Amino acid sequence: MAAALAHLLLLLALAAYGPTYAGAAKMKVVEEPNTFGLNNPFLPQTSRLQPKRDPSPVSGPAHLFRLSGKCFSLVESTCTPRYKYEFCPFHNVTQHEQTFRWNAYSGILGIWHEWEIANNTFRGMWMRDGDSCHSRSRQSKVELTCGKSNRLAHVSEPSTCVYALTFETPLVCHPHSLLVYPALPTALQQRWDQVEQDLADELITSQGYEKLLRALFQDAGYLKTPEESESTQEGGAQGLVFETLDSCSKAHKELSKEIKRLQSVLTQHGIPYTKPVETSTSEHLGSKIPTDRTAEQLLGSPGLPGNTL
């Protein structure tokens, strides 16, 4: 038994060090997740990425549905710190700071909301209701372009809190791959035909034509109604909204309890922090009363006014 054990140890030693003349093997570098920010063990699972809502149903050209359930990433190396972007079609867009800072940023840049349609063509995918950014929510527009493979090719931030992504895929290389009319069910195609005929007969104006088409796209599930898009209008992100004072007070107590827990963890590990100013529940509530807001109806493209991506 002892001889067998000694033989085994000898084999393990030879495997670990090997002969010097064999040459050194190439080191395989594996990208490890950030253990201080994104995967901070001190934070509960529910405190990492918390989407404000569920994604909209999958819609649009049927040949794109196969992208649902997949994710594509891009590490932007032209800026410091580096960021990893992840695009999950019909789901969301996320951003992760590639650093070992304990509070590295990791957030949601938008949740699948609706298509942008112009000239009978799906122009882009809008991801809205992302993490809060000043007085609004982060949002992203994803442009689909022809490519040899499915990949996230480019990410930029043309305006504050609004991101532009370019996704390459061979699924849109055909000139008719992003046309809206073929993607519609027969009943809605016939309805569109009637709208075109009414315009040709001058029974409706150009403005009425755009309005009828938008309603048609809404019924198809490609666009959201003004009421459904209410929370995504500029300045519409006001954080959490509570229906009653009791629910707000309960949430405040839970947050205060979590803050104390995190402070104790930081103290335990000798990490300095700034103690927040204590405020009462009434001060947190202020004098704001939830009110219903009517979103402005957009004709034609559902893109943000004043933002050209």
Side-chain angles (χ1 to χ4, degrees):
M1 183 67 181
L5 181 59
H7 181 67
L8 177 60
L9 292 176
L10 178 61
L11 291 177
L12 291 176
L14 290 174
Y17 296 100
T20 58
Y21 57 80
K26 292 184 178 180
M27 180 181 295
K28 181 180 180 181
V29 179
V30 180
E31 180 183 0
E32 294 292 339
N34 187 333
T35 55
F36 295 96
L38 174 60
N39 299 305
N40 191 336
F42 303 139
L43 296 178
Q45 184 66 34
T46 56
S47 296
R48 295 176 187 173
L49 291 181
Q50 300 184 43
K52 297 178 180 178
R53 60 169 177 83
D54 293 329
S56 299
V58 177
S59 65
H63 59 277
L64 297 181
F65 292 1
R66 68 189 71 180
L67 295 175
S68 179
K70 300 179 181 179
C71 294
F72 307 89
S73 61
L74 171 68
V75 176
E76 186 62 58
S77 58
T78 59
C79 59
T80 303
R82 299 171 65 192
Y83 287 99
K84 179 180 180 180
Y85 297 91
E86 194 165 42
F87 168 52
C88 303
F90 303 107
H91 193 68
N92 63 22
V93 174
T94 56
Q95 179 188 40
H96 311 286
E97 184 179 346
Q98 302 296 284
T99 180
F100 286 95
R101 295 191 303 115
W102 73 271
N103 62 341
Y105 174 77
S106 180
I108 299 174
L109 303 186
I111 302 170
W112 164 235
H113 187 68
E114 65 180 353
W115 286 96
E116 177 175 311
I117 298 176
N119 299 326
N120 185 26
T121 305
F122 293 102
R123 292 297 186 187
M125 305 178 71
W126 273 105
M127 307 283 183
R128 306 190 191 274
D129 294 328
D131 289 347
S132 296
C133 179
H134 305 297
S135 61
R136 60 192 301 187
S137 295
R138 300 179 189 274
Q139 49 195 322
S140 303
K141 177 186 173 182
V142 183
E143 180 183 1
L144 306 181
T145 62
C146 176
K148 295 182 179 180
S149 61
N150 295 324
R151 74 183 190 99
L152 183 57
H154 180 69
V155 179
S156 64
E157 188 177 359
S159 60
T160 305
C161 310
V162 180
Y163 302 82
L165 288 76
T166 301
F167 179 71
E168 295 181 355
T169 173
L171 298 176
V172 300
C173 289
H174 191 279
H176 297 164
S177 59
L178 290 176
L179 292 181
V180 177
Y181 188 88
L184 291 169
T186 303
L188 290 181
Q189 287 181 349
Q190 295 174 350
R191 181 172 153 189
W192 193 342
D193 293 340
Q194 185 60 52
V195 172
E196 294 287 350
Q197 186 62 50
D198 290 344
L199 179 65
D201 295 339
E202 298 183 350
L203 299 177
I204 56 177
T205 64
S206 297
Q207 185 177 5
Y209 171 82
E210 296 292 339
K211 184 175 181 180
L212 289 173
L213 276 190
R214 182 173 180 85
L216 189 152
F217 298 153
Q218 290 170 353
D219 291 343
Y222 303 156
L223 303 181
K224 295 298 181 181
T225 64
E227 292 75 17
E228 292 173 319
S229 298
E230 185 178 58
S231 63
T232 67
Q233 297 295 321
E234 184 174 352
Q238 302 295 335
L240 297 176
V241 177
F242 301 97
E243 296 181 355
T244 65
L245 179 61
D246 290 338
S247 62
C248 181
S249 299
K250 182 179 179 181
H252 177 259
K253 291 179 181 178
E254 292 177 352
L255 288 174
S256 298
K257 182 179 179 181
E258 178 66 11
I259 289 175
K260 292 180 180 179
R261 188 189 72 81
L262 293 174
Q263 288 176 345
S264 63
V265 171
L266 293 175
T267 301
Q268 179 182 354
H269 291 80
I271 301 175
Y273 64 91
T274 302
K275 186 175 181 181
V277 179
E278 295 292 337
T279 57
S280 64
T281 303
S282 59
E283 289 175 318
H284 279 284
L285 290 174
S287 57
K288 293 183 179 179
I289 301 176
T291 58
D292 294 329
R293 300 191 307 110
T294 303
E296 179 182 359
Q297 184 175 5
L298 300 176
L299 299 179
S301 169
L304 288 180
N307 285 314
T308 303
L309 300 183

